[in-house]
């Protein structure tokens, strides 16, 4: 007996208010991911004084529990039966645990180094699990809202736009205010007493985004597929889960995501080091660069649906990912060749603005397309298994994303140790050789991972025609079943 309905959502265009509310929820993940990736290692290494490699290892260890939590949440979400449907109970319930874990993470008590590392591990587990309880069911709504091939790319474009806008707005708030300069402290990121307010404000933003999204999409519950309430053994549950995740298209997207999000994790975790020690940013520079990333996110929002229609999702994702690798490496290669403006030169910031905007446009476009392809895997799997497992598929994708964020932090800690980058370093005191080695290793690592992701995207096994044929077949089957009943 099947555990949930094989209902096919209509191929429709989502109303703008619903789309805005749905997309706004990703502000929560954008804030969490930006702060986690950009400041967590920096805070515990450069502010608290823990070794970078140890902090990275503690964060990576938290991923071991994610390997269980994320698929479990997706699986249980697919089978949740309530008057609020399958997804919304999880979305509402996640808000308070996220806020609690977040505030505790950034406010560690006075502990020994070993105890502080345990604190980082435990709070990272709490935050990651609570975020999964919201983000996995929320992502699973994408294929449920519409079966239209192009509309799914539009839905994902909204999600990524709000996710990046939320993270970058938090970046501006952090650099300009919460962790900004004050009398006697020109670099507020190094002042420990700034972090409690930073944690409280970011926690409040995440809770607001979650509740707005859950309430704003609540009216859609009656249109979404519902779980059938049937009993099944634990062994049968795991057998069903195993059959689902063996899907070839799903595994290809997981491999692409593994490569890209590892590259992104390293990039985010190194950004504070590069801004401070390579480009020697001053106070207003951080805000300007944050704006360049927001410009890139906006252009990706416009570009991804258009290139999807023109080139098809797999081919477009491949080219966007390859272009992202080029733009990331460009300023560092020009700098080593003596062709890039030096820190303090009036052309340095405009050049970085343009390059960063181009990189973000390409990388976000690729991930929008990849996420849209993940939504299309749902119907392919349904044809093969008779089940809709949106939660399982997006749990896998979300686990890879979080896993690579942690792996990126761990890899960054290893890179910093490899180039002998000192803890508690002051701007201008790090040996130029260490800075050069760091930028070379980062550029090469990012390029290798990005080109690997591009190859996996191109290998995705189907496009629009195949998807529409499956949707039609499923709809026809559902109609026949209704007529027989």
């Amino acid at each position: 007996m099947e555990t949930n309905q094989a209902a096919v959502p209509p191929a429709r265009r989502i109303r703008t208010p619903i789309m805005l509310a749905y997309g706004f929820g990703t502000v929560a993940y954008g804030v969490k991911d930006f702060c986690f990736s950009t400041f967590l290692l920096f805070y515990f290494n450069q502010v608290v004084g823990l070794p970078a490699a140890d902090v990275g290892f503690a964060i990576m260890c938290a991923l071991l529990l994610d390997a269980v939590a994320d698929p479990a949440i997706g699986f249980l979400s697919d089978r949740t039966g309530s008057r609020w449907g399958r997804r919304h109970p999880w979305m509402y319930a996640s808000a308070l645990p996220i806020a609690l874990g977040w505030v505790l993470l950034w406010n560690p008590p006075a502990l020994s180094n070993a105890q502080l590392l345990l604190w980082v591990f435990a709070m990272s587990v709490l935050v990651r699990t609570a975020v999964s309880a919201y983000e996995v069911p929320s992502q699973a709504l994408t294929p449920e809202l519409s079966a239209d091939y192009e509309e799914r790319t539009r839905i994902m474009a909204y999600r990524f736009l709000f996710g990046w806008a939320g993270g970058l707005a938090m970046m501006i708030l952090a650099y300009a205010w919460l962790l900004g300069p004050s009398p006697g402290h020109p670099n507020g990121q190094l002042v420990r007493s700034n972090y409690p307010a930073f944690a409280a404000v970011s926690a409040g933003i995440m809770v607001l985004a979650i509740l707005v999204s859950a309430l704003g999409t609540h009216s859609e519950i009656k249109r979404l597929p519902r779980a059938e309430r049937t009993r099944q053994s634990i062994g049968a549950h795991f057998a069903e889960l195993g059959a689902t995740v063996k899907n070839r298209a799903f595994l290809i997207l997981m491999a692409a995501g593994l490569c890209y999000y590892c590259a992104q994790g390293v990039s985010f975790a190194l950004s504070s080091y590069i801004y401070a020690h390579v480009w020697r940013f001053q106070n207003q520079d951080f805000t300007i660069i944050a704006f360049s990333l927001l410009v890139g996110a906006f252009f990706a929002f416009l570009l991804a649906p258009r290139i999807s229609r023109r080139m098809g999702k797999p081919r477009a994702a491949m080219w966007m990912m390859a272009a992202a690798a080029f733009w990331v490496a460009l300023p560092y290669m020009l700098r080593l060749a003596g062709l890039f403006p030096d820190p303090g030169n009036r052309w340095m910031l405009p050049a970085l603005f343009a390059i960063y905007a181009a990189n973000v446009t390409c990388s976000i476009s690729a991930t929008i397309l990849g996420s849209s392809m993940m939504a299309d895997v749902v119907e392919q799997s349904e044809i093969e298994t008779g089940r809709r497992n949106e939660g399982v598929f997006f749990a896998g994708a979300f686990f890879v994303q979080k896993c690579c964020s942690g792996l990126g932090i761990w890899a960054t800690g290893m890179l910093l140790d490899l180039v002998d980058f000192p803890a508690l370093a002051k701007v201008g005191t790090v040996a130029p050789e260490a800075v050069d080695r760091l930028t070379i290793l980062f550029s090469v690592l990012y390029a290798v991972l990005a080109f690997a992701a591009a190859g996996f995207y191109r290998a995705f096994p189907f496009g629009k025609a195949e998807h529409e044929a499956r949707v039609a077949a499923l709809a026809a089957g559902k109609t026949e079943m209704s007529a027989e009943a």
Side-chain angles (χ1 to χ4, degrees):
M1 185 178 292
E2 300 301 340
T3 58
N4 59 349
Q5 293 176 324
V8 182
R12 60 179 178 132
R13 186 175 178 87
I14 307 302
R15 292 186 296 118
T16 299
I18 300 299
M19 191 77 87
L20 291 172
Y22 181 51
F24 187 70
T26 58
V27 167
Y29 184 71
V31 169
K32 174 264 169 189
D33 199 46
F34 164 74
C35 296
F36 210 92
S37 300
T38 303
F39 288 127
L40 191 60
L41 175 62
F42 185 86
Y43 171 66
F44 280 99
N45 174 231
Q46 296 288 296
V47 180
V48 178
L50 296 176
D54 291 350
V55 176
F57 182 73
I59 295 169
M60 187 186 69
C61 286
L63 297 171
L64 297 175
L65 294 183
D66 277 348
V68 177
D70 285 7
I73 289 169
F75 194 78
L76 293 172
S77 171
D78 284 338
R79 282 145 187 80
T80 295
S82 77
R83 63 189 181 91
W84 285 355
R86 297 192 289 173
R87 314 302 178 190
H88 282 74
W90 292 86
M91 293 163 67
Y92 284 118
S94 67
L96 184 59
I98 287 174
L100 177 63
W102 191 254
V103 170
L104 290 174
L105 175 64
W106 299 95
N107 290 274
L111 299 170
S112 67
N113 280 8
Q115 291 170 330
L116 280 171
L117 290 170
L118 183 61
W119 180 272
V120 173
F121 168 78
M123 293 305 105
S124 294
V125 169
L126 175 57
V127 168
R128 286 177 179 278
T129 304
V131 168
S132 291
Y134 169 74
E135 190 67 14
V136 169
S138 177
Q139 287 189 30
L141 283 175
T142 295
E144 295 181 333
L145 289 170
S146 176
D148 185 83
Y149 186 80
E150 303 297 352
E151 182 68 359
R152 287 177 172 178
T153 303
R154 179 172 168 260
I155 293 171
M156 281 299 176
Y158 271 88
R159 286 186 62 86
F160 276 83
L161 176 64
F162 276 104
W164 275 81
L168 295 172
M170 191 65 225
M171 178 181 181
I172 293 171
L173 279 175
Y175 286 133
W177 175 41
L178 297 169
L179 302 179
S182 59
H185 300 289
N187 190 343
Q189 299 169 61
L190 298 172
V191 180
R192 187 166 182 172
S193 61
N194 286 342
Y195 283 87
F198 165 81
V201 170
S202 51
I205 293 172
M206 287 190 283
V207 169
L208 175 65
I210 288 169
L211 295 180
V212 167
S213 183
L215 290 168
T217 56
H218 198 94
S219 62
E220 293 294 305
I221 292 173
K222 60 183 177 291
R223 300 182 181 90
L224 304 176
R226 286 182 172 270
E228 288 184 357
R229 299 191 177 187
T230 57
R231 294 184 178 275
Q232 195 176 43
S233 69
I234 293 177
H237 276 312
F238 278 104
E240 182 181 305
L241 179 63
T244 299
V245 299
K246 288 179 182 177
N247 182 285
R248 177 170 173 263
F250 169 71
L251 293 175
I252 287 172
L253 291 178
M254 289 282 280
L258 180 67
C259 294
Y260 169 67
Y261 284 114
C262 276
Q264 185 189 73
V266 174
S267 178
F268 282 4
L270 271 179
S271 62
S272 290
Y273 293 87
I274 289 172
Y275 293 159
H277 297 285
V278 177
W279 306 122
R280 309 282 181 88
F281 278 3
Q282 301 299 313
N283 302 329
Q284 72 279 3
D285 298 343
F286 293 103
T287 303
I288 293 172
I289 287 301
F291 183 67
S292 78
L293 303 183
L294 184 58
V295 168
F298 178 73
F299 277 119
F301 170 77
L302 299 175
L303 179 63
R306 288 167 172 78
I307 60 173
S308 171
R309 290 192 294 269
R310 184 177 181 85
M311 303 174 64
K313 296 177 190 179
R315 188 160 167 257
M318 176 194 71
W319 283 111
M320 289 295 99
M321 198 72 261
F326 167 78
W327 290 114
V328 159
L330 182 62
Y332 307 112
M333 298 302 101
L334 291 176
R335 172 182 171 272
L336 292 173
L339 300 176
F340 201 80
D342 293 326
N345 187 298
R346 65 193 181 102
W347 293 108
M348 185 195 78
L349 207 58
L352 287 176
F353 185 105
I355 291 171
Y356 285 176
N359 166 253
V360 170
T361 297
C362 295
S363 61
I364 296 181
S365 293
T367 49
I368 287 172
L369 294 163
S371 297
S372 182
M373 286 187 276
M374 184 66 76
D376 299 335
V377 173
V378 171
E379 281 78 24
Q380 187 206 32
S381 175
E382 188 175 0
I383 288 286
E384 296 175 352
T385 67
R387 299 182 300 270
R388 291 188 69 87
N389 292 104
E390 298 96 330
V392 170
F393 288 129
F394 281 97
F398 189 55
F399 170 68
V400 165
Q401 188 172 350
K402 290 198 306 179
C403 172
C404 294
S405 173
L407 287 172
I409 294 173
W410 172 75
T412 298
M414 297 297 290
L415 283 176
L416 292 169
D417 276 4
L418 186 63
V419 301
D420 297 322
F421 204 97
L424 302 174
K426 294 183 178 180
V427 175
T429 64
V430 181
E433 296 81 7
V435 174
D436 290 346
R437 286 197 300 269
L438 183 64
T439 57
I440 292 171
L441 288 175
F442 164 61
S443 300
V444 171
L445 179 60
Y446 189 102
V448 169
L449 291 170
F451 278 112
F456 284 118
Y457 281 136
R458 190 65 184 92
F460 190 73
F462 64 86
K464 182 177 182 178
E466 296 89 343
H467 169 75
E468 291 182 341
R470 291 190 189 101
V471 170
L474 289 168
K478 181 184 175 186
T479 302
E480 290 173 6
M481 290 176 62
S482 299
E484 290 174 1

